[in-house]
Amino acid sequence: TAGLQFLLPPASLAALANSWLQEDCPGLNFASLVTGSAPAQAVLWAKSPGVLAGRPFFDAIFTQLNCQVSWLLPEGSKLVPVVKVAEVRGPAHHLLLGERVALNTLARCSGIASAAATAVEVATSTGWAGHVAGTRKTTPGFRLVEKYGLLVGGAECHRYDLGGLVMVKDNHVVAAGSMEKAVLKARQAAGFPLKVEVECSSLKEALQAAEAGADLVMLDNFKPEELHPTAATLKAKFPNVSVEASGGVTLDNLPQFCGTNIDVISLGMLTQAAPALDFSLKLYAEGDIPVPHARRS
């Protein structure tokens, strides 16, 4: 995970942090009158196991509020609760203004990193040497966080957006009139910088896609017992075509999709169904020893 934070454009971080804070407080913040602006300090506690991810977003939120974050654990750390993760200092009303937004972001990013790390561990434990990847099934407005979380967890983020890879799906084939026409148009659009991937639901379609010039073939919603023979037949005729398995893959059945002819396995559940980790941010008085609090709803 070293250096992954450099992937995040500072302007994007600042813009996201600002939009999240505006969503939570678009007008008057009456609770700020309770605390005032006196200097305060708080401890960030991790209260569930998993992988720590999302430090740059947490930092960006508190930077907007003139607060300073001191991290005690590096990005990608395995969390064994209850553990102190960071300290935050700044004006009391600003600490509390950023609290929920920062916790939401860190909890969700860490949850995705944790699911991704589990998926990678499950896949590699079978001896498979391919790539575990996410999908574009992300939360609108939250994709940068979720794709980053995948990377921290050791998975591939797949294409970040529509510009990262030309993917021909079933609807594109219908709109274009045929598989051959769809792939030809995709190749023309891709030019030399981009690869073309084609979603296929049968061996016949996979062979057509490879014949037409696809770089990658996605075998979509295949059962494992159908997936591996199909991939083997495809690879025998087109050894340079990469094969992706997708659809219906979970952490439980992932090992069944791993095989010598499968290059990529993508899981939408990594971003759609990963449970958020539990973090809390607790203020403490200067001179006191901070202690974790029990979870409150």
Side-chain angles (χ1 to χ4, degrees):
T1 59
L4 286 178
Q5 71 273 17
F6 300 136
L7 294 172
L8 303 170
S12 297
L13 282 173
L16 282 170
N18 188 53
S19 69
W20 295 330
L21 288 165
Q22 285 191 331
E23 177 187 54
D24 203 37
C25 187
L28 301 172
N29 178 20
F30 291 103
S32 66
L33 298 179
V34 176
T35 62
S37 61
Q41 53 281 323
V43 169
L44 173 67
W45 298 98
K47 299 193 289 183
S48 56
V51 175
L52 175 64
R55 283 183 25 165
F57 303 100
F58 193 94
D59 286 341
I61 290 163
F62 280 113
T63 295
Q64 291 283 324
L65 299 170
N66 298 312
C67 297
Q68 294 76 45
V69 182
S70 301
W71 292 95
L72 306 175
L73 294 175
E75 191 83 312
S77 295
K78 288 189 176 182
L79 299 170
V80 180
V82 174
V83 64
K84 186 192 296 188
V85 179
E87 293 185 353
V88 188
R89 294 179 179 272
H93 67 307
H94 281 181
L95 281 179
L96 296 178
L97 183 58
E99 175 190 6
R100 177 42 53 198
V101 176
L103 290 176
N104 285 350
T105 308
L106 193 69
R108 282 159 177 74
C109 191
S110 296
I112 289 168
S114 302
T118 299
V120 170
E121 184 178 354
V122 167
T124 55
S125 68
T126 68
W128 183 63
H131 302 280
V132 172
T135 68
R136 273 174 53 245
K137 296 176 181 177
T138 55
T139 308
F142 210 60
R143 179 173 293 177
L144 188 63
V145 180
E146 295 178 342
K147 292 286 194 178
Y148 174 81
L150 290 172
L151 294 175
V152 174
E156 305 276 348
C157 67
H158 213 297
R159 57 174 177 168
Y160 181 79
D161 53 32
L162 292 173
L165 172 79
V166 183
M167 185 179 289
V168 177
K169 301 177 78 69
D170 53 354
N171 286 328
H172 293 97
V173 174
V174 172
S178 71
M179 175 71 75
E180 187 178 5
K181 288 180 182 178
V183 177
L184 179 62
K185 289 181 178 180
R187 283 249 64 99
Q188 292 171 341
F192 74 89
L194 298 178
K195 290 184 178 181
V196 173
E197 180 168 17
V198 182
E199 177 187 276
C200 300
S201 58
S202 68
L203 174 59
K204 180 182 176 181
E205 287 183 357
L207 291 171
Q208 287 177 341
E211 187 71 48
D215 299 298
L216 301 92
V217 168
M218 176 194 288
L219 299 179
D220 191 39
N221 288 312
F222 278 65
K223 295 178 181 178
E225 57 268 26
E226 302 166 340
L227 172 71
H228 298 296
T230 302
T233 302
L234 180 63
K235 285 274 196 176
K237 191 168 184 180
F238 299 96
N240 294 325
V241 170
S242 296
V243 175
E244 174 180 346
S246 187
V249 188
T250 66
L251 295 178
D252 290 333
N253 66 18
L254 174 57
Q256 300 173 43
F257 289 84
C258 299
T260 54
N261 295 298
I262 308 300
D263 302 290
V264 181
I265 301 175
S266 56
L267 300 87
M269 57 78 55
L270 295 180
T271 48
Q272 285 190 314
L277 265 58
D278 186 13
F279 291 92
S280 66
L281 190 70
K282 296 298 180 182
L283 269 67
Y284 67 96
E286 194 71 57
D288 286 354
I289 298 175
V291 293
H293 291 241
R295 182 176 183 178
R296 295 170 182 164
S297 59

